[in-house]
Amino acid sequence: MNPVIRLLRILGPVKGWMLLGGLIAFVTLLANVILMAMSGWFIAAMAVAGVAGVSMNYFTPAAVIRTCAIVRTVGRYGERLVTHEATLRLLSSLRVWFYERLEPLAPAILEGYRSGDLLSRLRADIDTLDHFYLRLVLPMGVALAASLAFIVTLYWFNPLLALIEALLLGLSGVVLPLLMQRVAAPHGQRINRCSSELRAHLVNDLQGFGELLVDAADARHARRIETLSEELAVAQNRISHLDGIAQGAVGLSANLAMWLITLSAIPLVNQGELPPVQLAMLALFSLASFEAIAPLPGAFQGLAETLAAARRIFELVDRSAEVAEPRETTPLGEDRTLKLEAVHYSYPDTPPDNPTLQEISLCLGAGQKIALIGPSGSGKTTLLQLLLKFRSIGQGRVSLGGVSYEALSGETLRGEIAVATQYNHLFNASIRDNLLLAKPDASQEQLETACRLACIHDFIHAQPAAYDTQVGELGLRLSGGQGRRLAIARALLKDAPILILDEPTEGLDPHTEQQLLANLLDWADERALLLVTHRVQGLRAMDEILMLQAGRISARGNHEQLMTTSAAYRSLHETQPLLAWQTGEASDSAGP
């Protein structure tokens, strides 16, 4: 579908505000043109009356002039107020609309996009769309209505005057904008591309600035940003030059219209068809009427950039989610057993004969603790995404409480599962705000209980602002271990019947790791726990351990069984030291 038509359809929720803004802009424009025309008539009439030595009623035209001046001033303020209100409402609804369509695409579809690029589409590209209303739709509507009114008015005086006005308004309001749009289109598209790439590179480079410094790659990335900035500046400079040419052409057309109408009206005055005092009125009327089409050339110059932004947005929202949501979700009973039966999964670019996951089966019920271990690339992350219904299984069946995943909405399913992954997002807000994402109505006592279990309460309590401490962008003010424990506390606060922990003790010192694992195992005593790890700590307490290798379960059983039957499991224990509490040497220290 044409992006212009799609953009017009998006305007629906705020069309009332937009129509009101257009009406105010139209009335304001008419007031300004009438003010100019009436001023010309009034001055000429007063001069003629003075020369002839006759009196005239100057109260009425003076009142009209004052009224038009007041309407013009108030109207311009009202137009800005209403049109910007409409624009802000539109941008707000657009961001909600965009996010609602973006969320089902995560993570399967969005993993191919850089975070900076997604941020650019969500913020900058949508901001660019405000030009479509403020600089294109509104000026075009007002210009069309006003131009028709001006031409009809001049036709009432004389058809020739109306023809001159129509030709020059058409030249500067239709031909010139279309020409400017054609010439400016490559530069507008280049501005959108450079701006998007520049924002994406800046976000990615700032997030990985430490790694760039370590690898001495900062200078190379800085040159890339400088190159993009220079290309963007060149494109913007060319657009500015075109804008100057367009405005000059509109001014030339306005003055040409004034002189042609004046010269054409002089014979009419000599022939007695027009009163002499109307000559100045018509001249100023034609000059002021070009205010209606003055914004159009600039608006069409920016059309290419606006359409490029719209295409980037539509290109993303038109992507189909990998997992289809059911039209009606099946309600869950009391059972919350999570079961996988002979599950296969292949990525779109994976050969069919080499699936990422093969014959994966497990059953995780209340009170059960299952560990999933395996090297990087063995399929652990993919399996977690299947469990959270982020991806659609190829073969097999996944169910919760006996209800197939296909019959459950993602929202219903994920409401029953609390997850702390390796890469948990912390928002640039307070610790309290980040925790309340899991349970908005949580009390202070519940927050502290979750944080004590996650071994992070003492650190929080030691901060001057305690739970109101700001964590910074992406949790920058916290260490990696502190951020991980805060994410674990958030998962515990959710108090879901199923808890999934992905490398929960990564980056922690042995003492904290010991205490955290003991707390988690105790908390999950009556819940279902899935522990994803490559470490041996905590495996003795698991009811079942699944060893994943190249997408297959290579071995399964409890600790004692695997120590007897699996050489790979024994080797894992030989290469990693056990914590003292797991060997039974210091069991008294296992408490929180």
Side-chain angles (χ1 to χ4, degrees), residues 11 17-26 79-80 82-84 87 130-145 292 295-296 299:
L11 300 180
W17 285 93
M18 292 182 174
L19 290 173
L20 178 60
L23 177 62
I24 295 175
F26 177 72
E79 176 199 345
R80 299 295 189 278
V82 173
T83 56
H84 282 76
T87 301
D130 71 348
H131 298 167
F132 184 70
Y133 168 60
L134 279 180
R135 297 183 59 184
L136 189 66
V137 175
L138 177 68
M140 282 184 61
V142 173
L144 178 61
L296 295 185

PDB file of all heavy atoms in Angstrom, residues 11 17-26 79-80 82-84 87 130-145 292 295-296 299:
ATOM      1  N   LEU A  11      -3.833   9.007  10.716  1.00  0.00           N
ATOM      2  CA  LEU A  11      -4.285  10.276  11.300  1.00  0.00           C
ATOM      3  C   LEU A  11      -5.668  10.176  11.937  1.00  0.00           C
ATOM      4  O   LEU A  11      -6.103  11.114  12.599  1.00  0.00           O
ATOM      5  CB  LEU A  11      -4.310  11.369  10.225  1.00  0.00           C
ATOM      6  CG  LEU A  11      -2.985  11.695   9.531  1.00  0.00           C
ATOM      7  CD1 LEU A  11      -3.201  12.800   8.513  1.00  0.00           C
ATOM      8  CD2 LEU A  11      -1.909  12.089  10.523  1.00  0.00           C
ATOM      9  N   TRP A  17      -8.918  17.035  16.046  1.00  0.00           N
ATOM     10  CA  TRP A  17      -7.967  18.100  16.363  1.00  0.00           C
ATOM     11  C   TRP A  17      -7.374  18.682  15.082  1.00  0.00           C
ATOM     12  O   TRP A  17      -7.177  19.898  14.974  1.00  0.00           O
ATOM     13  CB  TRP A  17      -6.851  17.563  17.258  1.00  0.00           C
ATOM     14  CG  TRP A  17      -7.257  17.346  18.674  1.00  0.00           C
ATOM     15  CD1 TRP A  17      -7.722  16.203  19.237  1.00  0.00           C
ATOM     16  CD2 TRP A  17      -7.240  18.323  19.716  1.00  0.00           C
ATOM     17  NE1 TRP A  17      -7.996  16.393  20.571  1.00  0.00           N
ATOM     18  CE2 TRP A  17      -7.708  17.684  20.890  1.00  0.00           C
ATOM     19  CE3 TRP A  17      -6.865  19.665  19.783  1.00  0.00           C
ATOM     20  CZ2 TRP A  17      -7.810  18.348  22.109  1.00  0.00           C
ATOM     21  CZ3 TRP A  17      -6.966  20.332  20.996  1.00  0.00           C
ATOM     22  CH2 TRP A  17      -7.444  19.668  22.145  1.00  0.00           C
ATOM     23  N   MET A  18      -7.096  17.828  14.113  1.00  0.00           N
ATOM     24  CA  MET A  18      -6.486  18.299  12.874  1.00  0.00           C
ATOM     25  C   MET A  18      -7.451  19.163  12.067  1.00  0.00           C
ATOM     26  O   MET A  18      -7.051  20.192  11.503  1.00  0.00           O
ATOM     27  CB  MET A  18      -6.030  17.098  12.047  1.00  0.00           C
ATOM     28  CG  MET A  18      -4.881  16.348  12.700  1.00  0.00           C
ATOM     29  SD  MET A  18      -4.309  14.986  11.703  1.00  0.00           S
ATOM     30  CE  MET A  18      -2.875  14.480  12.663  1.00  0.00           C
ATOM     31  N   LEU A  19      -8.695  18.759  12.007  1.00  0.00           N
ATOM     32  CA  LEU A  19      -9.691  19.581  11.304  1.00  0.00           C
ATOM     33  C   LEU A  19      -9.866  20.927  11.989  1.00  0.00           C
ATOM     34  O   LEU A  19      -9.991  21.961  11.325  1.00  0.00           O
ATOM     35  CB  LEU A  19     -11.019  18.840  11.232  1.00  0.00           C
ATOM     36  CG  LEU A  19     -11.051  17.611  10.307  1.00  0.00           C
ATOM     37  CD1 LEU A  19     -12.379  16.874  10.455  1.00  0.00           C
ATOM     38  CD2 LEU A  19     -10.829  18.034   8.860  1.00  0.00           C
ATOM     39  N   LEU A  20      -9.870  20.914  13.331  1.00  0.00           N
ATOM     40  CA  LEU A  20      -9.980  22.176  14.071  1.00  0.00           C
ATOM     41  C   LEU A  20      -8.772  23.059  13.801  1.00  0.00           C
ATOM     42  O   LEU A  20      -8.908  24.271  13.579  1.00  0.00           O
ATOM     43  CB  LEU A  20     -10.112  21.891  15.566  1.00  0.00           C
ATOM     44  CG  LEU A  20     -10.196  23.120  16.483  1.00  0.00           C
ATOM     45  CD1 LEU A  20     -11.404  23.980  16.121  1.00  0.00           C
ATOM     46  CD2 LEU A  20     -10.267  22.696  17.950  1.00  0.00           C
ATOM     47  N   GLY A  21      -7.573  22.471  13.804  1.00  0.00           N
ATOM     48  CA  GLY A  21      -6.373  23.243  13.504  1.00  0.00           C
ATOM     49  C   GLY A  21      -6.402  23.807  12.099  1.00  0.00           C
ATOM     50  O   GLY A  21      -6.008  24.966  11.867  1.00  0.00           O
ATOM     51  N   GLY A  22      -6.876  23.001  11.123  1.00  0.00           N
ATOM     52  CA  GLY A  22      -6.986  23.494   9.756  1.00  0.00           C
ATOM     53  C   GLY A  22      -7.981  24.628   9.635  1.00  0.00           C
ATOM     54  O   GLY A  22      -7.744  25.605   8.903  1.00  0.00           O
ATOM     55  N   LEU A  23      -9.109  24.528  10.356  1.00  0.00           N
ATOM     56  CA  LEU A  23     -10.118  25.590  10.312  1.00  0.00           C
ATOM     57  C   LEU A  23      -9.567  26.893  10.889  1.00  0.00           C
ATOM     58  O   LEU A  23      -9.762  27.975  10.311  1.00  0.00           O
ATOM     59  CB  LEU A  23     -11.358  25.148  11.092  1.00  0.00           C
ATOM     60  CG  LEU A  23     -12.492  26.174  11.196  1.00  0.00           C
ATOM     61  CD1 LEU A  23     -13.025  26.521   9.810  1.00  0.00           C
ATOM     62  CD2 LEU A  23     -13.621  25.645  12.089  1.00  0.00           C
ATOM     63  N   ILE A  24      -8.860  26.787  12.020  1.00  0.00           N
ATOM     64  CA  ILE A  24      -8.284  27.995  12.629  1.00  0.00           C
ATOM     65  C   ILE A  24      -7.234  28.607  11.698  1.00  0.00           C
ATOM     66  O   ILE A  24      -7.167  29.835  11.532  1.00  0.00           O
ATOM     67  CB  ILE A  24      -7.670  27.655  14.003  1.00  0.00           C
ATOM     68  CG1 ILE A  24      -8.759  27.212  14.975  1.00  0.00           C
ATOM     69  CG2 ILE A  24      -6.913  28.848  14.560  1.00  0.00           C
ATOM     70  CD1 ILE A  24      -8.228  26.748  16.318  1.00  0.00           C
ATOM     71  N   ALA A  25      -6.405  27.748  11.075  1.00  0.00           N
ATOM     72  CA  ALA A  25      -5.388  28.251  10.148  1.00  0.00           C
ATOM     73  C   ALA A  25      -6.040  28.942   8.954  1.00  0.00           C
ATOM     74  O   ALA A  25      -5.561  29.992   8.486  1.00  0.00           O
ATOM     75  CB  ALA A  25      -4.501  27.102   9.684  1.00  0.00           C
ATOM     76  N   PHE A  26      -7.130  28.390   8.459  1.00  0.00           N
ATOM     77  CA  PHE A  26      -7.844  28.983   7.319  1.00  0.00           C
ATOM     78  C   PHE A  26      -8.417  30.344   7.688  1.00  0.00           C
ATOM     79  O   PHE A  26      -8.278  31.320   6.944  1.00  0.00           O
ATOM     80  CB  PHE A  26      -8.945  28.030   6.863  1.00  0.00           C
ATOM     81  CG  PHE A  26      -9.787  28.553   5.739  1.00  0.00           C
ATOM     82  CD1 PHE A  26      -9.269  28.654   4.460  1.00  0.00           C
ATOM     83  CD2 PHE A  26     -11.102  28.943   5.963  1.00  0.00           C
ATOM     84  CE1 PHE A  26     -10.050  29.140   3.411  1.00  0.00           C
ATOM     85  CE2 PHE A  26     -11.884  29.420   4.927  1.00  0.00           C
ATOM     86  CZ  PHE A  26     -11.364  29.526   3.647  1.00  0.00           C
ATOM     87  N   GLU A  79      -3.834  28.467  16.383  1.00  0.00           N
ATOM     88  CA  GLU A  79      -3.390  27.463  15.409  1.00  0.00           C
ATOM     89  C   GLU A  79      -2.197  26.682  15.951  1.00  0.00           C
ATOM     90  O   GLU A  79      -2.149  25.446  15.876  1.00  0.00           O
ATOM     91  CB  GLU A  79      -3.000  28.161  14.107  1.00  0.00           C
ATOM     92  CG  GLU A  79      -2.431  27.205  13.074  1.00  0.00           C
ATOM     93  CD  GLU A  79      -1.646  27.937  11.995  1.00  0.00           C
ATOM     94  OE1 GLU A  79      -1.783  29.181  11.893  1.00  0.00           O
ATOM     95  OE2 GLU A  79      -0.889  27.272  11.276  1.00  0.00           O
ATOM     96  N   ARG A  80      -1.207  27.399  16.499  1.00  0.00           N
ATOM     97  CA  ARG A  80      -0.033  26.712  17.067  1.00  0.00           C
ATOM     98  C   ARG A  80      -0.458  25.790  18.200  1.00  0.00           C
ATOM     99  O   ARG A  80       0.030  24.652  18.314  1.00  0.00           O
ATOM    100  CB  ARG A  80       0.984  27.734  17.586  1.00  0.00           C
ATOM    101  CG  ARG A  80       1.557  28.672  16.574  1.00  0.00           C
ATOM    102  CD  ARG A  80       2.397  27.956  15.518  1.00  0.00           C
ATOM    103  NE  ARG A  80       3.114  28.889  14.675  1.00  0.00           N
ATOM    104  CZ  ARG A  80       2.609  29.520  13.623  1.00  0.00           C
ATOM    105  NH1 ARG A  80       1.346  29.315  13.297  1.00  0.00           N
ATOM    106  NH2 ARG A  80       3.345  30.331  12.895  1.00  0.00           N
ATOM    107  N   VAL A  82      -3.447  24.346  18.836  1.00  0.00           N
ATOM    108  CA  VAL A  82      -4.250  23.192  18.425  1.00  0.00           C
ATOM    109  C   VAL A  82      -3.444  22.226  17.565  1.00  0.00           C
ATOM    110  O   VAL A  82      -3.497  21.007  17.765  1.00  0.00           O
ATOM    111  CB  VAL A  82      -5.514  23.664  17.673  1.00  0.00           C
ATOM    112  CG1 VAL A  82      -6.267  22.478  17.095  1.00  0.00           C
ATOM    113  CG2 VAL A  82      -6.414  24.452  18.615  1.00  0.00           C
ATOM    114  N   THR A  83      -2.697  22.750  16.587  1.00  0.00           N
ATOM    115  CA  THR A  83      -1.950  21.858  15.698  1.00  0.00           C
ATOM    116  C   THR A  83      -0.848  21.113  16.436  1.00  0.00           C
ATOM    117  O   THR A  83      -0.589  19.933  16.149  1.00  0.00           O
ATOM    118  CB  THR A  83      -1.344  22.640  14.526  1.00  0.00           C
ATOM    119  OG1 THR A  83      -0.516  23.709  15.028  1.00  0.00           O
ATOM    120  CG2 THR A  83      -2.434  23.208  13.646  1.00  0.00           C
ATOM    121  N   HIS A  84      -0.203  21.768  17.394  1.00  0.00           N
ATOM    122  CA  HIS A  84       0.828  21.064  18.155  1.00  0.00           C
ATOM    123  C   HIS A  84       0.198  20.051  19.118  1.00  0.00           C
ATOM    124  O   HIS A  84       0.781  18.992  19.380  1.00  0.00           O
ATOM    125  CB  HIS A  84       1.717  22.054  18.910  1.00  0.00           C
ATOM    126  CG  HIS A  84       2.731  22.716  18.031  1.00  0.00           C
ATOM    127  ND1 HIS A  84       2.425  23.729  17.157  1.00  0.00           N
ATOM    128  CD2 HIS A  84       4.061  22.481  17.872  1.00  0.00           C
ATOM    129  CE1 HIS A  84       3.511  24.105  16.499  1.00  0.00           C
ATOM    130  NE2 HIS A  84       4.515  23.364  16.916  1.00  0.00           N
ATOM    131  N   THR A  87      -0.461  17.181  16.949  1.00  0.00           N
ATOM    132  CA  THR A  87       0.782  16.488  16.598  1.00  0.00           C
ATOM    133  C   THR A  87       1.292  15.652  17.759  1.00  0.00           C
ATOM    134  O   THR A  87       1.706  14.500  17.578  1.00  0.00           O
ATOM    135  CB  THR A  87       1.850  17.501  16.182  1.00  0.00           C
ATOM    136  OG1 THR A  87       1.364  18.250  15.061  1.00  0.00           O
ATOM    137  CG2 THR A  87       3.141  16.816  15.796  1.00  0.00           C
ATOM    138  N   ASP A 130       5.772  13.903  12.116  1.00  0.00           N
ATOM    139  CA  ASP A 130       4.969  15.081  12.457  1.00  0.00           C
ATOM    140  C   ASP A 130       4.992  16.102  11.316  1.00  0.00           C
ATOM    141  O   ASP A 130       4.084  16.913  11.173  1.00  0.00           O
ATOM    142  CB  ASP A 130       5.418  15.710  13.777  1.00  0.00           C
ATOM    143  CG  ASP A 130       6.779  16.412  13.665  1.00  0.00           C
ATOM    144  OD1 ASP A 130       7.462  16.217  12.648  1.00  0.00           O
ATOM    145  OD2 ASP A 130       7.145  17.123  14.616  1.00  0.00           O
ATOM    146  N   HIS A 131       6.037  16.045  10.459  1.00  0.00           N
ATOM    147  CA  HIS A 131       6.090  16.926   9.297  1.00  0.00           C
ATOM    148  C   HIS A 131       4.948  16.628   8.337  1.00  0.00           C
ATOM    149  O   HIS A 131       4.502  17.522   7.611  1.00  0.00           O
ATOM    150  CB  HIS A 131       7.429  16.754   8.558  1.00  0.00           C
ATOM    151  CG  HIS A 131       8.614  17.128   9.382  1.00  0.00           C
ATOM    152  ND1 HIS A 131       9.909  16.816   9.022  1.00  0.00           N
ATOM    153  CD2 HIS A 131       8.706  17.778  10.572  1.00  0.00           C
ATOM    154  CE1 HIS A 131      10.742  17.264   9.938  1.00  0.00           C
ATOM    155  NE2 HIS A 131      10.037  17.849  10.891  1.00  0.00           N
ATOM    156  N   PHE A 132       4.512  15.383   8.334  1.00  0.00           N
ATOM    157  CA  PHE A 132       3.466  14.998   7.389  1.00  0.00           C
ATOM    158  C   PHE A 132       2.178  15.774   7.657  1.00  0.00           C
ATOM    159  O   PHE A 132       1.484  16.173   6.721  1.00  0.00           O
ATOM    160  CB  PHE A 132       3.210  13.492   7.502  1.00  0.00           C
ATOM    161  CG  PHE A 132       2.221  12.981   6.490  1.00  0.00           C
ATOM    162  CD1 PHE A 132       2.547  12.917   5.153  1.00  0.00           C
ATOM    163  CD2 PHE A 132       0.950  12.575   6.882  1.00  0.00           C
ATOM    164  CE1 PHE A 132       1.634  12.451   4.212  1.00  0.00           C
ATOM    165  CE2 PHE A 132       0.032  12.116   5.955  1.00  0.00           C
ATOM    166  CZ  PHE A 132       0.383  12.051   4.615  1.00  0.00           C
ATOM    167  N   TYR A 133       1.868  16.013   8.914  1.00  0.00           N
ATOM    168  CA  TYR A 133       0.667  16.789   9.242  1.00  0.00           C
ATOM    169  C   TYR A 133       0.961  18.281   9.275  1.00  0.00           C
ATOM    170  O   TYR A 133       0.319  19.070   8.573  1.00  0.00           O
ATOM    171  CB  TYR A 133       0.090  16.340  10.574  1.00  0.00           C
ATOM    172  CG  TYR A 133      -0.969  17.289  11.112  1.00  0.00           C
ATOM    173  CD1 TYR A 133      -2.126  17.532  10.374  1.00  0.00           C
ATOM    174  CD2 TYR A 133      -0.811  17.951  12.317  1.00  0.00           C
ATOM    175  CE1 TYR A 133      -3.090  18.419  10.832  1.00  0.00           C
ATOM    176  CE2 TYR A 133      -1.772  18.821  12.790  1.00  0.00           C
ATOM    177  CZ  TYR A 133      -2.914  19.055  12.041  1.00  0.00           C
ATOM    178  OH  TYR A 133      -3.854  19.926  12.498  1.00  0.00           O
ATOM    179  N   LEU A 134       1.969  18.684  10.062  1.00  0.00           N
ATOM    180  CA  LEU A 134       2.231  20.106  10.268  1.00  0.00           C
ATOM    181  C   LEU A 134       2.724  20.796   9.004  1.00  0.00           C
ATOM    182  O   LEU A 134       2.407  21.960   8.754  1.00  0.00           O
ATOM    183  CB  LEU A 134       3.268  20.287  11.384  1.00  0.00           C
ATOM    184  CG  LEU A 134       2.752  20.208  12.822  1.00  0.00           C
ATOM    185  CD1 LEU A 134       3.892  20.396  13.798  1.00  0.00           C
ATOM    186  CD2 LEU A 134       1.670  21.238  13.075  1.00  0.00           C
ATOM    187  N   ARG A 135       3.525  20.088   8.198  1.00  0.00           N
ATOM    188  CA  ARG A 135       4.169  20.741   7.064  1.00  0.00           C
ATOM    189  C   ARG A 135       3.615  20.305   5.714  1.00  0.00           C
ATOM    190  O   ARG A 135       4.036  20.831   4.692  1.00  0.00           O
ATOM    191  CB  ARG A 135       5.673  20.474   7.100  1.00  0.00           C
ATOM    192  CG  ARG A 135       6.362  21.054   8.318  1.00  0.00           C
ATOM    193  CD  ARG A 135       7.850  20.827   8.261  1.00  0.00           C
ATOM    194  NE  ARG A 135       8.447  21.422   7.060  1.00  0.00           N
ATOM    195  CZ  ARG A 135       9.731  21.291   6.734  1.00  0.00           C
ATOM    196  NH1 ARG A 135      10.531  20.576   7.509  1.00  0.00           N
ATOM    197  NH2 ARG A 135      10.197  21.845   5.634  1.00  0.00           N
ATOM    198  N   LEU A 136       2.720  19.314   5.694  1.00  0.00           N
ATOM    199  CA  LEU A 136       2.198  18.869   4.405  1.00  0.00           C
ATOM    200  C   LEU A 136       0.670  18.837   4.369  1.00  0.00           C
ATOM    201  O   LEU A 136       0.044  19.577   3.608  1.00  0.00           O
ATOM    202  CB  LEU A 136       2.769  17.482   4.072  1.00  0.00           C
ATOM    203  CG  LEU A 136       2.484  16.995   2.651  1.00  0.00           C
ATOM    204  CD1 LEU A 136       3.199  17.877   1.645  1.00  0.00           C
ATOM    205  CD2 LEU A 136       2.896  15.546   2.488  1.00  0.00           C
ATOM    206  N   VAL A 137       0.059  17.995   5.210  1.00  0.00           N
ATOM    207  CA  VAL A 137      -1.396  17.846   5.159  1.00  0.00           C
ATOM    208  C   VAL A 137      -2.097  19.153   5.500  1.00  0.00           C
ATOM    209  O   VAL A 137      -2.990  19.603   4.769  1.00  0.00           O
ATOM    210  CB  VAL A 137      -1.839  16.718   6.115  1.00  0.00           C
ATOM    211  CG1 VAL A 137      -3.369  16.641   6.163  1.00  0.00           C
ATOM    212  CG2 VAL A 137      -1.266  15.381   5.675  1.00  0.00           C
ATOM    213  N   LEU A 138      -1.715  19.756   6.614  1.00  0.00           N
ATOM    214  CA  LEU A 138      -2.357  21.017   7.027  1.00  0.00           C
ATOM    215  C   LEU A 138      -2.129  22.132   6.012  1.00  0.00           C
ATOM    216  O   LEU A 138      -3.102  22.761   5.557  1.00  0.00           O
ATOM    217  CB  LEU A 138      -1.858  21.421   8.411  1.00  0.00           C
ATOM    218  CG  LEU A 138      -2.378  22.752   8.954  1.00  0.00           C
ATOM    219  CD1 LEU A 138      -3.872  22.634   9.239  1.00  0.00           C
ATOM    220  CD2 LEU A 138      -1.638  23.153  10.228  1.00  0.00           C
ATOM    221  N   PRO A 139      -0.879  22.443   5.595  1.00  0.00           N
ATOM    222  CA  PRO A 139      -0.699  23.518   4.602  1.00  0.00           C
ATOM    223  C   PRO A 139      -1.397  23.246   3.278  1.00  0.00           C
ATOM    224  O   PRO A 139      -1.935  24.170   2.647  1.00  0.00           O
ATOM    225  CB  PRO A 139       0.831  23.571   4.421  1.00  0.00           C
ATOM    226  CG  PRO A 139       1.386  22.986   5.665  1.00  0.00           C
ATOM    227  CD  PRO A 139       0.412  21.925   6.074  1.00  0.00           C
ATOM    228  N   MET A 140      -1.396  21.962   2.828  1.00  0.00           N
ATOM    229  CA  MET A 140      -2.059  21.653   1.560  1.00  0.00           C
ATOM    230  C   MET A 140      -3.560  21.882   1.653  1.00  0.00           C
ATOM    231  O   MET A 140      -4.173  22.464   0.738  1.00  0.00           O
ATOM    232  CB  MET A 140      -1.776  20.205   1.159  1.00  0.00           C
ATOM    233  CG  MET A 140      -0.394  19.981   0.560  1.00  0.00           C
ATOM    234  SD  MET A 140      -0.172  18.274   0.012  1.00  0.00           S
ATOM    235  CE  MET A 140      -1.453  18.145  -1.223  1.00  0.00           C
ATOM    236  N   GLY A 141      -4.178  21.446   2.741  1.00  0.00           N
ATOM    237  CA  GLY A 141      -5.617  21.645   2.908  1.00  0.00           C
ATOM    238  C   GLY A 141      -5.985  23.103   2.972  1.00  0.00           C
ATOM    239  O   GLY A 141      -6.949  23.560   2.316  1.00  0.00           O
ATOM    240  N   VAL A 142      -5.217  23.868   3.760  1.00  0.00           N
ATOM    241  CA  VAL A 142      -5.498  25.303   3.886  1.00  0.00           C
ATOM    242  C   VAL A 142      -5.250  26.015   2.560  1.00  0.00           C
ATOM    243  O   VAL A 142      -6.034  26.879   2.140  1.00  0.00           O
ATOM    244  CB  VAL A 142      -4.636  25.903   5.011  1.00  0.00           C
ATOM    245  CG1 VAL A 142      -4.783  27.429   5.044  1.00  0.00           C
ATOM    246  CG2 VAL A 142      -5.022  25.313   6.359  1.00  0.00           C
ATOM    247  N   ALA A 143      -4.149  25.642   1.888  1.00  0.00           N
ATOM    248  CA  ALA A 143      -3.814  26.293   0.619  1.00  0.00           C
ATOM    249  C   ALA A 143      -4.887  26.030  -0.432  1.00  0.00           C
ATOM    250  O   ALA A 143      -5.268  26.943  -1.186  1.00  0.00           O
ATOM    251  CB  ALA A 143      -2.461  25.796   0.127  1.00  0.00           C
ATOM    252  N   LEU A 144      -5.387  24.815  -0.491  1.00  0.00           N
ATOM    253  CA  LEU A 144      -6.420  24.488  -1.482  1.00  0.00           C
ATOM    254  C   LEU A 144      -7.695  25.286  -1.223  1.00  0.00           C
ATOM    255  O   LEU A 144      -8.257  25.913  -2.138  1.00  0.00           O
ATOM    256  CB  LEU A 144      -6.707  22.989  -1.446  1.00  0.00           C
ATOM    257  CG  LEU A 144      -7.797  22.492  -2.392  1.00  0.00           C
ATOM    258  CD1 LEU A 144      -7.409  22.777  -3.843  1.00  0.00           C
ATOM    259  CD2 LEU A 144      -8.047  20.996  -2.189  1.00  0.00           C
ATOM    260  N   ALA A 145      -8.156  25.269   0.035  1.00  0.00           N
ATOM    261  CA  ALA A 145      -9.392  25.982   0.359  1.00  0.00           C
ATOM    262  C   ALA A 145      -9.240  27.486   0.162  1.00  0.00           C
ATOM    263  O   ALA A 145     -10.112  28.164  -0.418  1.00  0.00           O
ATOM    264  CB  ALA A 145      -9.807  25.676   1.798  1.00  0.00           C
ATOM    265  N   ALA A 292      -0.760  31.681   1.452  1.00  0.00           N
ATOM    266  CA  ALA A 292      -1.402  30.372   1.524  1.00  0.00           C
ATOM    267  C   ALA A 292      -0.511  29.270   0.974  1.00  0.00           C
ATOM    268  O   ALA A 292      -0.500  28.143   1.495  1.00  0.00           O
ATOM    269  CB  ALA A 292      -2.735  30.402   0.765  1.00  0.00           C
ATOM    270  N   PRO A 295       4.239  27.789   2.293  1.00  0.00           N
ATOM    271  CA  PRO A 295       4.887  26.635   2.939  1.00  0.00           C
ATOM    272  C   PRO A 295       5.021  25.400   2.058  1.00  0.00           C
ATOM    273  O   PRO A 295       5.741  24.473   2.406  1.00  0.00           O
ATOM    274  CB  PRO A 295       3.950  26.321   4.130  1.00  0.00           C
ATOM    275  CG  PRO A 295       3.011  27.463   4.248  1.00  0.00           C
ATOM    276  CD  PRO A 295       2.904  28.034   2.880  1.00  0.00           C
ATOM    277  N   LEU A 296       4.320  25.363   0.902  1.00  0.00           N
ATOM    278  CA  LEU A 296       4.230  24.117   0.132  1.00  0.00           C
ATOM    279  C   LEU A 296       5.558  23.662  -0.467  1.00  0.00           C
ATOM    280  O   LEU A 296       5.878  22.474  -0.412  1.00  0.00           O
ATOM    281  CB  LEU A 296       3.168  24.257  -0.954  1.00  0.00           C
ATOM    282  CG  LEU A 296       1.726  24.433  -0.455  1.00  0.00           C
ATOM    283  CD1 LEU A 296       0.754  24.431  -1.626  1.00  0.00           C
ATOM    284  CD2 LEU A 296       1.359  23.333   0.524  1.00  0.00           C
ATOM    285  N   ALA A 299       7.519  22.060   2.203  1.00  0.00           N
ATOM    286  CA  ALA A 299       6.877  20.827   2.652  1.00  0.00           C
ATOM    287  C   ALA A 299       7.185  19.677   1.706  1.00  0.00           C
ATOM    288  O   ALA A 299       7.479  18.554   2.140  1.00  0.00           O
ATOM    289  CB  ALA A 299       5.372  21.037   2.760  1.00  0.00           C
TER     290      ALA A 299
END
